Amino acid sequence: MSMYRIDFNDFFTSAFSVDCILFGYSEGEIKALLIKRAMQPFENLWAIPGDLIYPDEDLEQAAERVLFELTGLNNIAMHQSQTFGKPNRHPQGRVITISYFALLRIEDFEVKASSWAGDVQWVSLKNMPDLAFDHNHILSSTYEMLKLKLQNEPICFDVLPERFTLNEFQQLYEFAFEQAFDKANFRKKIKYIPLIAHDEKQQNVKHRPAKLFSFDKTTYEEATTQNRYTFKM
Amino acid sequence: MSMYRIDFNDFFTSAFSVDCILFGYSEGEIKALLIKRAMQPFENLWAIPGDLIYPDEDLEQAAERVLFELTGLNNIAMHQSQTFGKPNRHPQGRVITISYFALLRIEDFEVKASSWAGDVQWVSLKNMPDLAFDHNHILSSTYEMLKLKLQNEPICFDVLPERFTLNEFQQLYEFAFEQAFDKANFRKKIKYIPLIAHDEKQQNVKHRPAKLFSFDKTTYEEATTQNRYTFKM
DNA sequence: TAAATTATTGTCCAAATTACAATAATTAGA
DNA sequence: TCTAATTATTGTAATTTGGACAATAATTTA
């Protein structure tokens, strides 16, 4: 299987790839999952995991597959960000790339390098080295998109576990926006988000366990299509 | 020149197109500029203006060119929205399309059909017929993107004339969101947007002319990179 | 100079947001 | 069983923002 190695013969055709930006949070920092390229071009440079899309493959499906192949991460729901297509962004020909992203808690997953990737590592956004291709640019605009979507769409629930505590919910936003929120005010803010409260409680905690909630997608979609509610954080 | 007619031989290559959604406002309605397709597939159906991207062409540049070729509209700054790539969205092969949009006042421009387009027309969003390809879907998600960006990024200034009155500014938002805003409150809301006030005044008006402003991009970018300000409407 | 029209500013009230404090619930350990 | 520790949860008052509406200022035409 080729990776970024293709013939560019047809006048109107190009290659297209997906780049998968995985944002993770741990130790109070936002990090991105990078791979060390094991082949030319940009051999040994760090890069965003990405590869070409199969001809019969849906874009989102491609993003999930590529992420799995390069990092071993499975079943991560990816969100489309932007498409990058400067004619010379790839040294070997025209490759237009569609960036996808997801957000997760690093300690919940274990990544392993594939044969394509010499190494896989979480790198802090504050400490980003020079990356292959235009990946520094892709990374920073995708981070902006992540924040924009977290504020305007309920993508946080793709990231949180099926049942979550309100504190986990709050921490997600604190990590993504790198600021603390007042607990009481946070709960007032989310008052109108349709959540289902469960009777069970958080397990394995040393002190008072928190109540568990899940996102009420049905009610949410009813309310938005009827224009009674718009998600806003 | 081929339009949506290509060979799909290479395993990993596909065709890339741009679709240009032009939103216009007039008579209190949002309309989109559509063309009537003059060739197969979907001959005689209405569609969003779009065509394939040249191999040496930047994406945004392609969007501006395609819009010009199909409608005669020149020098419209286009904004990227989303990329659509379901494997079977084009009946003749794999075409991934990147949607671009812009917003303008219909009476400021005159469109003319090209040879590719049998007809060109502004169609109200509320009265949208069945379009070619997945263009109904593309159109409605791009409208959502337009609104999202108008609220979170200063793209309004790409749409407004270089020097504009605060009323023109307000009308833009009233059209896009299809609701009236209080004049006094609108001015309070925009208080922190960096604008340059000019001494000249609006021309050709029957009564007191309004002051002209322009967007202070330099100050805006300084303030945002230093995290002192974020655009919000 | 007056009338007409529109820009611009100001004020009040309601609602939302913020900061901060108090209380309730639960667990661990003595 | 009781107490200390910890965290969830609720409450309140102060501050800021947003919306409705009114008043004033500026300019053009006649």
Side-chain angles (χ1 to χ4, degrees), chain A residues 6-7 10-14 16 53-59 80 82-83 85-87 94 96 98 148 152, chain B residues 2 7 10-14 16 53-59 80 82-83 85-87 94 96 148 152:
Chain A
I6 6 136
D7 282 317
D10 283 3
F11 181 50
F12 267 125
T13 57
S14 318
F16 53 102
I53 301 171
Y54 293 152
D56 58 348
E57 200 177 29
D58 202 3
L59 304 180
Q80 190 182 110
Q82 280 172 276
T83 298
K86 288 222 182 305
R94 184 84 196 259
I96 295 177
I98 304 158
L148 185 64
N152 295 287
Chain B
S2 85
D7 282 319
D10 284 1
F11 181 48
F12 267 125
T13 57
S14 307
F16 256 100
I53 301 171
Y54 293 154
D56 58 348
E57 200 177 29
D58 201 4
L59 304 180
Q80 191 183 111
Q82 279 171 276
T83 298
K86 287 222 181 306
R94 185 85 196 257
I96 295 180
L148 185 64
N152 295 288

Side-chain angles (χ1 to χ4, degrees), chain A residues 165-197:
Chain A
T165 71
L166 297 186
N167 265 22
E168 288 174 322
F169 189 6
Q170 181 175 344
Q171 277 167 33
L172 173 62
Y173 278 85
E174 291 184 334
F175 275 115
F177 292 93
E178 297 184 274
Q179 60 175 302
F181 299 106
D182 181 277
K183 201 182 248 182
N185 296 334
F186 186 86
R187 277 149 206 252
K188 266 185 269 176
K189 186 186 260 177
I190 64 169
K191 199 165 56 177
Y192 297 108
I193 301 177
L195 297 180
I196 300 166

Side-chain angles (χ1 to χ4, degrees), chain A residues 206-217:
Chain A
K206 292 204 193 83
H207 298 287
R208 177 183 174 187
K211 218 181 271 177
L212 288 173
F213 294 86
S214 61
F215 179 51
D216 187 348
K217 201 170 175 179

Side-chain angles (χ1 to χ4, degrees), chain B residues 147-167:
Chain B
K147 291 194 283 186
L148 185 64
K149 291 218 176 175
L150 276 175
Q151 268 173 332
N152 295 288
E153 291 167 41
I155 68 163
C156 48
F157 304 114
D158 297 336
V159 169
L160 290 166
E162 162 66 20
R163 301 194 171 194
F164 52 86
T165 70
L166 297 186
N167 265 22

Side-chain angles (χ1 to χ4, degrees), chain A residues 16-23 33 48-51 53 57-67 76-84 97-103 138-139 142-143 145-146 149, chain B residues 82-86 94 96:
Chain A
F16 53 102
S17 65
V18 282
D19 280 320
C20 305
I21 295 105
L22 217 59
F23 295 107
L33 189 66
I48 298 166
D51 205 350
I53 301 171
E57 200 177 29
D58 202 3
L59 304 180
E60 196 176 321
Q61 192 184 324
E64 290 181 31
R65 173 186 57 79
V66 168
L67 185 66
I76 309 274
M78 307 287 288
H79 297 274
Q80 190 182 110
S81 172
Q82 280 172 276
T83 298
F84 301 86
T97 195
I98 304 158
S99 77
Y100 275 78
F101 70 88
L103 177 61
I138 293 180
L139 186 58
T142 303
Y143 180 49
M145 183 65 87
L146 164 74
K149 291 219 177 173
Chain B
Q82 279 171 276
T83 298
F84 300 87
K86 287 222 181 306
R94 185 85 196 257
I96 295 180

Side-chain angles (χ1 to χ4, degrees), chain A residues 68-120:
Chain A
F68 174 71
E69 284 178 3
L70 291 173
T71 69
L73 288 173
N74 215 340
N75 268 48
I76 309 274
M78 307 287 288
H79 297 274
Q80 190 182 110
S81 172
Q82 280 172 276
T83 298
F84 301 86
K86 288 222 182 305
N88 55 359
R89 60 173 295 280
H90 194 295
Q92 292 173 344
R94 184 84 196 259
V95 180
I96 295 177
T97 195
I98 304 158
S99 77
Y100 275 78
F101 70 88
L103 177 61
L104 50 80
R105 285 184 307 186
I106 290 175
E107 56 267 32
D108 291 353
F109 296 88
E110 197 183 333
V111 298
K112 43 177 176 287
S114 76
S115 52
W116 293 113
D119 196 2
V120 181

